[in-house]
Amino acid sequence: MDREAFRDAALRYGLLFLISVILVAGFWFHAEFYALGLYPLLLFGGFVTFFVIVAVRALTTGSYRRLRTRGSLPFSRDAGERVLSGTQTLVALPVSTPAPPAGAVANAVVASTGQVLTRVRVRDLRRRLASDVRNEEAAAAGYESVEDFRRAWAGNRRWNPDEVVLLVSFRREAAQ
Amino acid sequence: MSTYEAVLSLVVAANVALLGLVALRANRRVPRTALIAALAFFATTHAMAVGRTTGAIGPSGDALAFASLLIAHASVAIFVVLFLHGEPLRRRTPFLVAIGLAGFGLAGLGIAQGWHTQDVFQPVTDPGRLAVNAYLVACLAVALAESLAAWRRSVVLRRESFLLMAGTIALIVAGPIYGFELVAINLTEFLGTNLASPLAGALFAGALLRMNPLRFRGRGLEGAPAVPWKIPPGVYLVEEARPKFARAMLLAARHAPALAVVSEANPTPELAGVEKVRLPPGERCAAVLASTASEFLFRYPTGSVLVDDLSYVVAHSGLDAAREAVARVAEGLPARGRLVVSMANLTEDERESVARIRATRVQAPGLEAEVAAVLEAHLGASAGQLQRAATAQGKRAEDLGVTDLPWLRDYFVSSLRMLQTPADEAVHAGWGRVAEALAADLDRLWRTAPTEPRPRPAAAKPVMPEKPLEEIVIVHATDVPDLTPPKTDRRPPPAPLGAALREAFLGSLGPAGDSVFRRVLTGLRKEPEAVRWEDLPKVARLAEEAVADLGSAIDVDEARRDFFERARRLRLKLDGLAREAR
């Protein structure tokens, strides 16, 4: 074990020990003060201990703010490559698509296979009429122009300029 | 300094620091005032406790500490109620006044009776002290119950109410519970204090700042385009594809402060001159919308607020939160205030859901469709005309807003007037009637609010039998130089040569041809009817001189080249006329 890891472990377990001592002292005092029986003490003390350990664990490991993914963003395989290379920072989705909230980290997945490509942080969500998608938005979504976006969006369907699309802008998270 | 004094001093310092933070950063005036009061009175209580332990403060300090503790608890309850129910309290005002008055009453009684803070939360039988304990517990209970209820019921305030709840629980644990237990372990110096007050204050401040309204100044619409509608006060949910009518409804409220809550930095030129605040992305979007709109209307009861893009709130906070945010603002709308919400980009189901709010639902018409209908009725063709007009305005047809209607009216009318050629003399009256009817219909559209029945375009009349209207293309004469400028005088038609010359000048040089032709006539000292075939060489020479003068006055190379190309065409036409004479 190197020195830094040892120091971290000592700090972490030292803190845990300190909290355990405070908990035991608190239980003893309150059990004496309120003349608690064994079973109420076990129940109440067990609950408090569990809660404190979970909270301390979250605080010390930082898991409460770690990159826990919330939902996913689907991409075509071609778009996936652009996402991986960082050249695509926006995706247009049907308005009914459940999108992760802004600020959340989501899995970028290949729509056809579900394969996870990478993790992205959602920066903003915005609705727009399909005909109102702008040049810069089409470019950020990996299209050459707005016309290119319209062709791709319509696909085999008839182009509906009044269709509402959900634009999700994101940033690729650094590899873990 | 003993440990007690150090701890209590830290509590005072923390409370004061939080007070400063809240005073500087929090924008909701009413809850901010209550929280500042709570922090200030908690700081005073603890400062008096320090003074008591050091012996620096006598009995008067005890009285002040006692009163401060009571009012601090009252302020906590009032803060929580104000925070959760917004600035428009209405039914709760008597309740809050009762809490405040009871606090001041008990404080006065306590000072008169010489009660101490150390007696607080201790088992007593004296009715007065019992009332004090009950009052303090009731204040904390109100705060806890209100925040718990909001946490369970509200979508918008779920996180904020959790913070309020946690802060209140901290006060309960460090107040009534430890106040009772501290005696058992002989820590009596801490009696009458609440060491968790900085923690609770921090949680309360966190809730307040999380829902902090966006900053605004409360400006009027001085620099914004005026819309001649009368929109009565109230809440309006505007159904439209793009937020055109909602924006125009805000612009119609001229004589009061107005605020547009937008989702983009520069949403549209239509809102130029209107004060705008931009919603933050993320889950707190709905909470910020509610607090900003409520705060604005609280400060300016006659003001108007536009929610430019409710779909942004739906995308970030969810439909339920967006609806609740609008409902909160609507519920507290002052009698003379206006709230206009554009439901653009919402699905049909979402619109139905939002429309459950008690509000006036406005089915806004399609502006392009209405203008197109007017053009169709008067000119027999619409799509191309509208698109060309929009292009001249630097927009797409679908981006034309309500405030563009006067410009569109003027554009079409001036285009119609410029479309005449000398050969159209006989139908001048017809063009005039078309232009007037078109202008009247566009003007009616401009003046009719979406809350009123929409005007229908007047029936088309056959005004131009000589030309099929479908073939007419309306463009500005300046864009097409071959068109002649309008002729407003009603003089008799010129003699054949004079008319031919005029047509040659105007046809070649465009609108500038008219002034050149008049200069030539001045040089000839003749009226057009008096020009003879033998005058043609002189006409050509005078025309060359006039063209040279005019050309030398043009600074732009491209324009000058274009002008001399036109002059060359004029020369060819005059040569043709001369050959004809021979």
Side-chain angles (χ1 to χ4, degrees):
Chain A
M1 185 184 284
D2 62 31
R3 201 170 166 171
E4 196 172 333
F6 178 79
R7 197 178 58 192
D8 280 356
L11 186 69
R12 186 176 302 152
Y13 290 113
L15 186 65
L16 211 58
F17 178 73
L18 185 66
I19 289 168
S20 305
V21 169
I22 291 171
L23 282 175
V24 171
F27 294 146
W28 176 82
F29 167 72
H30 286 93
E32 290 289 312
F33 188 82
Y34 291 107
L36 291 180
L38 176 64
Y39 295 113
L41 179 63
L42 287 178
L43 190 67
F44 180 73
F47 175 75
V48 171
T49 307
F50 171 79
F51 188 76
V52 168
I53 286 175
V54 168
V56 170
R57 181 169 163 267
L59 283 169
T60 53
T61 60
S63 62
Y64 69 99
R65 57 181 169 85
R66 277 181 68 189
L67 305 181
R68 200 166 43 172
T69 55
R70 290 176 69 179
S72 60
L73 288 176
F75 295 90
S76 67
R77 197 165 282 283
D78 289 346
E81 289 176 13
R82 290 193 294 268
V83 172
L84 287 173
S85 66
T87 55
Q88 180 172 341
T89 56
L90 187 141
V91 61
L93 301 169
V95 72
S96 56
T97 308
V105 174
N107 282 327
V109 299
V110 178
S112 54
T113 62
Q115 178 198 350
V116 177
L117 294 164
T118 183
R119 290 203 287 198
V120 294
R121 187 177 290 277
V122 176
R123 300 176 72 182
D124 201 358
L125 299 108
R126 184 176 301 282
R127 289 184 184 186
R128 243 189 242 299
L129 295 183
S131 57
D132 285 354
V133 172
R134 299 167 184 171
N135 263 318
E136 62 270 20
E137 290 166 342
Y143 299 99
E144 288 182 3
S145 62
V146 171
E147 287 69 31
D148 188 24
F149 161 76
R150 290 177 182 178
R151 271 193 297 277
W153 183 258
N156 297 326
R157 299 171 300 156
R158 189 164 157 267
W159 164 248
N160 177 9
D162 293 333
E163 188 178 1
V164 180
V165 299
L166 178 66
L167 302 178
V168 183
S169 59
F170 58 85
R171 184 187 62 209
R172 190 187 166 203
E173 285 290 303
Q176 296 296 299
Chain B
M1 183 182 275
S2 69
T3 311
Y4 300 135
E5 291 157 13
V7 170
L8 291 173
S9 300
L10 275 177
V11 170
V12 174
N15 276 327
V16 171
L18 281 167
L19 189 154
L21 176 76
V22 171
L24 289 176
R25 298 289 303 276
N27 296 334
R28 287 181 72 189
R29 284 184 180 172
V30 178
R32 180 183 67 184
T33 308
L35 183 55
I36 286 175
L39 290 167
F41 284 115
F42 271 126
T44 308
T45 304
H46 292 90
M48 294 302 114
V50 175
R52 189 183 65 220
T53 53
T54 56
I57 294 172
S60 61
D62 270 353
L64 182 58
F66 181 80
S68 297
L69 188 68
L70 279 170
I71 298 169
H73 280 76
S75 300
V76 166
I78 291 171
F79 163 73
V80 171
V81 175
L82 286 171
F83 181 95
L84 294 173
H85 297 286
E87 286 70 17
L89 286 162
R90 290 179 188 165
R91 285 170 297 179
R92 292 178 179 82
T93 306
F95 174 65
L96 293 180
V97 170
I99 288 181
L101 288 179
F104 279 105
L106 283 171
L109 184 67
I111 291 169
Q113 295 287 326
W115 293 337
H116 300 287
T117 48
Q118 291 97 316
D119 301 331
V120 165
F121 297 131
Q122 299 306 308
V124 288
T125 51
D126 171 24
R129 293 179 184 179
L130 197 61
V132 169
N133 283 349
Y135 175 76
L136 293 174
V137 170
C139 286
L140 295 175
V142 166
L144 184 63
E146 288 280 359
S147 51
L148 184 63
W151 182 62
R152 288 193 60 198
R153 288 182 193 159
S154 173
V155 187
V156 174
L157 298 177
R158 187 176 295 272
R159 296 201 176 202
E160 288 80 2
S161 52
F162 180 79
L163 293 175
L164 297 183
M165 201 164 55
T168 310
I169 288 172
L171 286 178
I172 291 170
V173 170
I177 293 178
Y178 275 91
F180 181 58
E181 293 181 355
L182 283 173
V183 181
I185 53 173
N186 287 324
L187 286 174
T188 49
E189 284 82 356
F190 284 131
L191 284 177
T193 65
N194 195 318
L195 300 184
S197 61
L199 173 65
L203 292 166
F204 293 160
L208 196 58
L209 294 177
R210 194 175 186 279
M211 198 186 175
N212 214 17
L214 302 164
R215 286 191 181 276
F216 51 79
R217 292 179 182 174
R219 277 197 355 234
L221 293 168
E222 286 82 17
V227 175
W229 298 343
K230 286 198 190 316
I231 305 292
V235 183
Y236 298 92
L237 302 174
V238 187
E239 294 188 40
E240 52 188 347
R242 293 176 179 84
K244 299 177 182 180
F245 281 89
R247 288 170 181 166
M249 288 172 76
L250 181 80
L251 295 174
R254 297 296 300 172
H255 305 295
L259 182 72
V261 184
V262 300
S263 62
E264 294 181 78
N266 296 305
T268 172
E270 270 177 288
L271 292 179
V274 180
E275 184 173 12
K276 295 179 277 291
V277 289
R278 185 180 175 187
L279 287 170
E283 286 167 321
R284 69 191 187 102
C285 185
V288 172
L289 167 67
S291 65
T292 304
S294 296
E295 184 70 18
F296 184 86
L297 291 165
F298 170 71
R299 293 192 202 176
Y300 307 103
T302 59
S304 304
V305 173
L306 164 71
V307 182
D308 189 59
D309 187 3
L310 188 65
S311 75
Y312 189 77
V313 186
V314 172
H316 282 281
S317 303
L319 177 62
D320 292 340
R323 186 183 58 231
E324 187 187 325
V326 175
R328 286 176 70 86
V329 184
E331 190 185 346
L333 189 78
R336 295 170 61 199
R338 290 175 191 81
L339 174 68
V340 182
V341 181
S342 171
M343 296 207 284
N345 293 340
L346 294 186
T347 64
E348 199 52 46
D349 289 345
E350 288 168 345
R351 287 183 183 194
E352 290 301 324
S353 174
V354 174
R356 291 209 298 267
I357 297 167
R358 191 180 296 173
T360 306
R361 201 170 169 179
V362 179
Q363 296 275 356
L367 187 69
E368 311 95 88
E370 284 196 328
V371 175
V374 171
L375 296 178
E376 186 79 33
H378 295 288
L379 302 175
S382 61
Q385 321 281 21
L386 191 57
Q387 188 56 57
R388 267 185 287 276
T391 306
Q393 181 76 321
K395 294 180 175 179
R396 302 179 306 165
E398 53 268 41
D399 292 334
L400 288 169
V402 175
T403 50
D404 290 318
L405 278 172
W407 182 88
L408 280 175
R409 178 195 60 205
D410 297 343
Y411 175 89
F412 285 120
V413 169
S414 66
S415 301
L416 275 173
R417 286 181 180 151
M418 286 182 175
L419 197 62
Q420 303 153 15
T421 65
D424 293 330
E425 287 288 331
V427 290
H428 271 172
W431 277 120
R433 280 199 300 276
V434 171
E436 281 170 20
L438 182 68
D441 275 347
L442 289 176
D443 204 56
R444 266 196 292 276
L445 275 187
W446 161 240
R447 295 186 182 282
T448 308
T451 49
E452 301 167 10
R454 304 303 293 169
R456 291 175 180 277
K461 292 175 184 172
V463 291
M464 287 286 295
E466 293 84 355
K467 288 186 179 179
L469 287 172
E470 291 75 9
E471 293 173 10
I472 295 171
V473 173
I474 305 285
V475 288
H476 257 294
T478 50
D479 300 336
V480 185
D482 287 346
L483 289 180
T484 60
K487 182 170 171 148
T488 52
D489 56 353
R490 296 298 174 107
R491 288 180 298 180
L497 180 58
L501 279 173
R502 187 172 187 276
E503 194 171 347
F505 275 86
L506 292 172
S508 304
L509 301 180
D514 190 49
S515 63
V516 174
F517 182 54
R518 289 179 192 282
R519 182 169 161 177
V520 168
L521 292 177
T522 310
L524 283 175
R525 297 173 192 280
K526 288 185 176 178
E527 287 297 307
E529 304 84 14
V531 179
R532 299 286 175 259
W533 293 100
E534 54 272 25
D535 294 329
L536 278 178
K538 198 175 180 184
V539 166
R541 184 173 56 78
L542 289 168
E544 283 293 337
E545 288 172 10
V547 164
D549 281 356
L550 204 56
S552 66
I554 300 175
D555 293 333
V556 183
D557 289 345
E558 197 177 338
R560 191 187 297 124
R561 274 197 300 276
D562 178 61
F563 183 74
F564 284 124
E565 172 58 25
R566 292 164 185 273
R568 192 183 64 79
R569 289 207 297 259
L570 173 65
R571 213 173 291 127
L572 292 175
K573 285 190 179 179
L574 292 178
D575 285 350
L577 284 173
R579 275 197 300 274
E580 201 176 319
R582 284 196 291 269

